[in-house]
Amino acid sequence: MAAKEVYLKKLEWPSFGEGRPVIFPPVSELEERISLCRAYMHNRGFSHLIIYGDREHFANLLYLVHFDPRFEEALLILGLEGDPLLLVGNECVSHLTVSPLYQAGRLRHERYQPFSLISQPRNSSRPLAAIFADEGMVKGAKVGCVGWKYFNYIEFSQPEKMLDIPGFIADTVRNNCGYDAVENATDIFMSPVYGLKATCSAFEIAQFEFSNTMASEGMIHFFKNFKIGISDFEMVQQYKYTGYPLGCHIGLKSDANQHIGLSSPTGGVIQQGDPCSTNLSYWGSNICRAGWVVASEKELPEKAAAYIRAFAAPYFSACAEWLKMLRIGAVGGEIYSRIQELLPFEQFNVFLNPGHLIHFEEWVSSPIYEGSLDTIRSGMYFQLDIIPRSKQYFSSRMEDGYVVADEKLQQELKKAFPDCYDRCMARRNFMQEELGFLLPKEILPLSNTAGLVPPFFLDYQTVLSFKS
């Protein structure tokens, strides 16, 4: 099948609006998540889950009780009945009120000072073993440990026994309950097949649309104010960073740090004729673009003169095919194979999964991998994260968030968050009518930059399009 022709099209970037913040889930939303989690526990034979979090690995805690540890660590103990218990260090006691569940009196807490920073007071906490015992984690209990990663048989002969939580916690729970009674249960949250965070509710869609909108509006302001001859530190200020927590580091690669993968700004000067990539990621979103610091194709360096025809246009077409295939019931391995066909490795070097699930953290897991039989389901929230690399052409990027939602979920979103639903529909219409994408009816674009790929950073209004 021949690819659709790709054009360079000059247009005014549309305004879809920003909407109101959607941040704190209602108590009923959190109670539903806990209920679903307990159903998994019952089916797996777990009497308890312990969910670990720190400043970097916060997302499973945040999902379950809307609490993210600041400066230190935290541990949630969830039994099959009763209110969960959250262990926090000295400083996070004051942060407990961030949780609607805590404010409703449905989340117990205890100060466990070994979670605090070194040299802070540590003389008024019970031993961890005693806390665990009082919660019923003794001989006869079966405990699932949730960190941020689970393993498979390629990595370890007994992957369920490999825990990704600190040793002092793992040793204590194993001493209390016995080695064989403790397993890795992170998949309950993060599996692309059945994980709790693999599909989103209407509230989560609205929450992540808020994040995508805020990040994409920052990206729009960045492009509208892009300049040469200033430092990347100065350029990043054009993101109008709001203070909402970041899902990953802000990235900007230009002249000074081209040799550093995943680089943040380093103080280098933005120079005409260089390649450039940048991203802004708030919790639940990551907006990324890559191209060249030129105003037109004729200004590209000689080695990259064919950038549009040989690299950016095929990439854009592959992203469109990815979206076209992202239907409920589609098989992840088939999407993977199609992207490999459209973007041969020797030319595009796409090494990681072509697309993945995203939630509060930038990467949860992915049903799209070689040989995958995992299917696309309603509620899945994807990052269109296909990363091509070339020494000759640098890169291109069309990285935004998209939700797959059946009619029932779309109607739930429309009823609970009508403004969010309307923005998603307006983005769909723009992508199809102005840019020529073919989108399945279940695709909801969450970002105000969805489909917009400006290959020339000095002329952001010229974008790739299937319509001239």
Side-chain angles (χ1 to χ4, degrees), residues 419-432:
D419 292 346
C420 168
Y421 174 84
D422 288 345
R423 284 190 295 273
C424 291
M425 292 301 107
R427 296 182 191 112
R428 279 182 56 89
N429 183 67
F430 171 78
M431 290 180 70
Q432 294 187 116

PDB file of all heavy atoms in Angstrom, residues 419-432:
ATOM      1  N   ASP A 419     -16.542  20.026  28.651  1.00  0.00           N
ATOM      2  CA  ASP A 419     -15.554  20.894  27.993  1.00  0.00           C
ATOM      3  C   ASP A 419     -14.367  20.087  27.486  1.00  0.00           C
ATOM      4  O   ASP A 419     -13.857  20.329  26.387  1.00  0.00           O
ATOM      5  CB  ASP A 419     -15.075  21.991  28.946  1.00  0.00           C
ATOM      6  CG  ASP A 419     -16.171  22.997  29.262  1.00  0.00           C
ATOM      7  OD1 ASP A 419     -17.194  23.000  28.554  1.00  0.00           O
ATOM      8  OD2 ASP A 419     -16.000  23.768  30.227  1.00  0.00           O
ATOM      9  N   CYS A 420     -13.910  19.136  28.299  1.00  0.00           N
ATOM     10  CA  CYS A 420     -12.811  18.264  27.895  1.00  0.00           C
ATOM     11  C   CYS A 420     -13.212  17.456  26.658  1.00  0.00           C
ATOM     12  O   CYS A 420     -12.442  17.367  25.694  1.00  0.00           O
ATOM     13  CB  CYS A 420     -12.441  17.334  29.055  1.00  0.00           C
ATOM     14  SG  CYS A 420     -11.331  15.979  28.625  1.00  0.00           S
ATOM     15  N   TYR A 421     -14.400  16.896  26.680  1.00  0.00           N
ATOM     16  CA  TYR A 421     -14.887  16.117  25.547  1.00  0.00           C
ATOM     17  C   TYR A 421     -14.938  16.977  24.282  1.00  0.00           C
ATOM     18  O   TYR A 421     -14.501  16.547  23.209  1.00  0.00           O
ATOM     19  CB  TYR A 421     -16.274  15.567  25.872  1.00  0.00           C
ATOM     20  CG  TYR A 421     -16.941  14.849  24.720  1.00  0.00           C
ATOM     21  CD1 TYR A 421     -16.656  13.509  24.464  1.00  0.00           C
ATOM     22  CD2 TYR A 421     -17.847  15.515  23.897  1.00  0.00           C
ATOM     23  CE1 TYR A 421     -17.267  12.849  23.400  1.00  0.00           C
ATOM     24  CE2 TYR A 421     -18.455  14.862  22.839  1.00  0.00           C
ATOM     25  CZ  TYR A 421     -18.157  13.534  22.597  1.00  0.00           C
ATOM     26  OH  TYR A 421     -18.754  12.887  21.540  1.00  0.00           O
ATOM     27  N   ASP A 422     -15.449  18.197  24.409  1.00  0.00           N
ATOM     28  CA  ASP A 422     -15.560  19.076  23.244  1.00  0.00           C
ATOM     29  C   ASP A 422     -14.188  19.415  22.665  1.00  0.00           C
ATOM     30  O   ASP A 422     -14.024  19.487  21.439  1.00  0.00           O
ATOM     31  CB  ASP A 422     -16.302  20.359  23.621  1.00  0.00           C
ATOM     32  CG  ASP A 422     -17.788  20.126  23.852  1.00  0.00           C
ATOM     33  OD1 ASP A 422     -18.297  19.065  23.447  1.00  0.00           O
ATOM     34  OD2 ASP A 422     -18.437  21.008  24.454  1.00  0.00           O
ATOM     35  N   ARG A 423     -13.202  19.627  23.537  1.00  0.00           N
ATOM     36  CA  ARG A 423     -11.848  19.918  23.032  1.00  0.00           C
ATOM     37  C   ARG A 423     -11.284  18.707  22.282  1.00  0.00           C
ATOM     38  O   ARG A 423     -10.643  18.858  21.236  1.00  0.00           O
ATOM     39  CB  ARG A 423     -10.924  20.327  24.182  1.00  0.00           C
ATOM     40  CG  ARG A 423     -11.156  21.747  24.694  1.00  0.00           C
ATOM     41  CD  ARG A 423     -10.054  22.183  25.654  1.00  0.00           C
ATOM     42  NE  ARG A 423     -10.041  21.397  26.875  1.00  0.00           N
ATOM     43  CZ  ARG A 423     -10.759  21.666  27.959  1.00  0.00           C
ATOM     44  NH1 ARG A 423     -11.571  22.719  27.959  1.00  0.00           N
ATOM     45  NH2 ARG A 423     -10.686  20.916  29.046  1.00  0.00           N
ATOM     46  N   CYS A 424     -11.513  17.525  22.821  1.00  0.00           N
ATOM     47  CA  CYS A 424     -11.038  16.315  22.129  1.00  0.00           C
ATOM     48  C   CYS A 424     -11.683  16.187  20.757  1.00  0.00           C
ATOM     49  O   CYS A 424     -11.010  15.841  19.768  1.00  0.00           O
ATOM     50  CB  CYS A 424     -11.338  15.071  22.973  1.00  0.00           C
ATOM     51  SG  CYS A 424     -10.366  14.933  24.495  1.00  0.00           S
ATOM     52  N   MET A 425     -12.966  16.471  20.664  1.00  0.00           N
ATOM     53  CA  MET A 425     -13.654  16.385  19.382  1.00  0.00           C
ATOM     54  C   MET A 425     -13.139  17.453  18.414  1.00  0.00           C
ATOM     55  O   MET A 425     -12.992  17.198  17.202  1.00  0.00           O
ATOM     56  CB  MET A 425     -15.159  16.550  19.581  1.00  0.00           C
ATOM     57  CG  MET A 425     -15.840  15.409  20.321  1.00  0.00           C
ATOM     58  SD  MET A 425     -15.659  13.789  19.495  1.00  0.00           S
ATOM     59  CE  MET A 425     -14.479  13.000  20.603  1.00  0.00           C
ATOM     60  N   ALA A 426     -12.858  18.645  18.928  1.00  0.00           N
ATOM     61  CA  ALA A 426     -12.337  19.714  18.063  1.00  0.00           C
ATOM     62  C   ALA A 426     -10.947  19.351  17.538  1.00  0.00           C
ATOM     63  O   ALA A 426     -10.631  19.618  16.370  1.00  0.00           O
ATOM     64  CB  ALA A 426     -12.282  21.032  18.841  1.00  0.00           C
ATOM     65  N   ARG A 427     -10.140  18.722  18.372  1.00  0.00           N
ATOM     66  CA  ARG A 427      -8.806  18.299  17.911  1.00  0.00           C
ATOM     67  C   ARG A 427      -8.928  17.214  16.842  1.00  0.00           C
ATOM     68  O   ARG A 427      -8.189  17.217  15.855  1.00  0.00           O
ATOM     69  CB  ARG A 427      -7.993  17.790  19.101  1.00  0.00           C
ATOM     70  CG  ARG A 427      -7.698  18.847  20.157  1.00  0.00           C
ATOM     71  CD  ARG A 427      -6.838  18.267  21.281  1.00  0.00           C
ATOM     72  NE  ARG A 427      -6.774  19.192  22.405  1.00  0.00           N
ATOM     73  CZ  ARG A 427      -7.320  18.971  23.600  1.00  0.00           C
ATOM     74  NH1 ARG A 427      -7.950  17.826  23.834  1.00  0.00           N
ATOM     75  NH2 ARG A 427      -7.235  19.880  24.555  1.00  0.00           N
ATOM     76  N   ARG A 428      -9.835  16.271  17.061  1.00  0.00           N
ATOM     77  CA  ARG A 428     -10.068  15.230  16.049  1.00  0.00           C
ATOM     78  C   ARG A 428     -10.438  15.868  14.709  1.00  0.00           C
ATOM     79  O   ARG A 428      -9.903  15.485  13.667  1.00  0.00           O
ATOM     80  CB  ARG A 428     -11.217  14.314  16.493  1.00  0.00           C
ATOM     81  CG  ARG A 428     -10.870  13.225  17.483  1.00  0.00           C
ATOM     82  CD  ARG A 428     -12.110  12.388  17.785  1.00  0.00           C
ATOM     83  NE  ARG A 428     -12.677  11.848  16.547  1.00  0.00           N
ATOM     84  CZ  ARG A 428     -12.343  10.696  15.995  1.00  0.00           C
ATOM     85  NH1 ARG A 428     -11.423   9.932  16.580  1.00  0.00           N
ATOM     86  NH2 ARG A 428     -12.911  10.283  14.882  1.00  0.00           N
ATOM     87  N   ASN A 429     -11.348  16.808  14.765  1.00  0.00           N
ATOM     88  CA  ASN A 429     -11.818  17.452  13.545  1.00  0.00           C
ATOM     89  C   ASN A 429     -10.683  18.178  12.834  1.00  0.00           C
ATOM     90  O   ASN A 429     -10.535  18.082  11.608  1.00  0.00           O
ATOM     91  CB  ASN A 429     -12.944  18.422  13.873  1.00  0.00           C
ATOM     92  CG  ASN A 429     -13.531  19.069  12.625  1.00  0.00           C
ATOM     93  OD1 ASN A 429     -14.156  18.405  11.801  1.00  0.00           O
ATOM     94  ND2 ASN A 429     -13.326  20.364  12.472  1.00  0.00           N
ATOM     95  N   PHE A 430      -9.842  18.880  13.597  1.00  0.00           N
ATOM     96  CA  PHE A 430      -8.712  19.589  12.997  1.00  0.00           C
ATOM     97  C   PHE A 430      -7.744  18.617  12.339  1.00  0.00           C
ATOM     98  O   PHE A 430      -7.295  18.829  11.205  1.00  0.00           O
ATOM     99  CB  PHE A 430      -7.991  20.423  14.050  1.00  0.00           C
ATOM    100  CG  PHE A 430      -6.702  21.015  13.563  1.00  0.00           C
ATOM    101  CD1 PHE A 430      -6.695  22.135  12.753  1.00  0.00           C
ATOM    102  CD2 PHE A 430      -5.482  20.438  13.898  1.00  0.00           C
ATOM    103  CE1 PHE A 430      -5.509  22.676  12.288  1.00  0.00           C
ATOM    104  CE2 PHE A 430      -4.295  20.961  13.442  1.00  0.00           C
ATOM    105  CZ  PHE A 430      -4.305  22.093  12.629  1.00  0.00           C
ATOM    106  N   MET A 431      -7.406  17.547  13.055  1.00  0.00           N
ATOM    107  CA  MET A 431      -6.452  16.588  12.514  1.00  0.00           C
ATOM    108  C   MET A 431      -6.977  15.963  11.221  1.00  0.00           C
ATOM    109  O   MET A 431      -6.207  15.733  10.284  1.00  0.00           O
ATOM    110  CB  MET A 431      -6.156  15.493  13.547  1.00  0.00           C
ATOM    111  CG  MET A 431      -5.346  15.968  14.747  1.00  0.00           C
ATOM    112  SD  MET A 431      -5.025  14.630  15.935  1.00  0.00           S
ATOM    113  CE  MET A 431      -3.867  13.609  14.994  1.00  0.00           C
ATOM    114  N   GLN A 432      -8.268  15.706  11.153  1.00  0.00           N
ATOM    115  CA  GLN A 432      -8.833  15.050   9.970  1.00  0.00           C
ATOM    116  C   GLN A 432      -9.103  16.034   8.836  1.00  0.00           C
ATOM    117  O   GLN A 432      -8.733  15.779   7.684  1.00  0.00           O
ATOM    118  CB  GLN A 432     -10.114  14.317  10.361  1.00  0.00           C
ATOM    119  CG  GLN A 432      -9.855  13.159  11.313  1.00  0.00           C
ATOM    120  CD  GLN A 432     -11.083  12.314  11.586  1.00  0.00           C
ATOM    121  OE1 GLN A 432     -11.139  11.129  11.255  1.00  0.00           O
ATOM    122  NE2 GLN A 432     -12.092  12.904  12.212  1.00  0.00           N
TER     123      GLN A 432
END
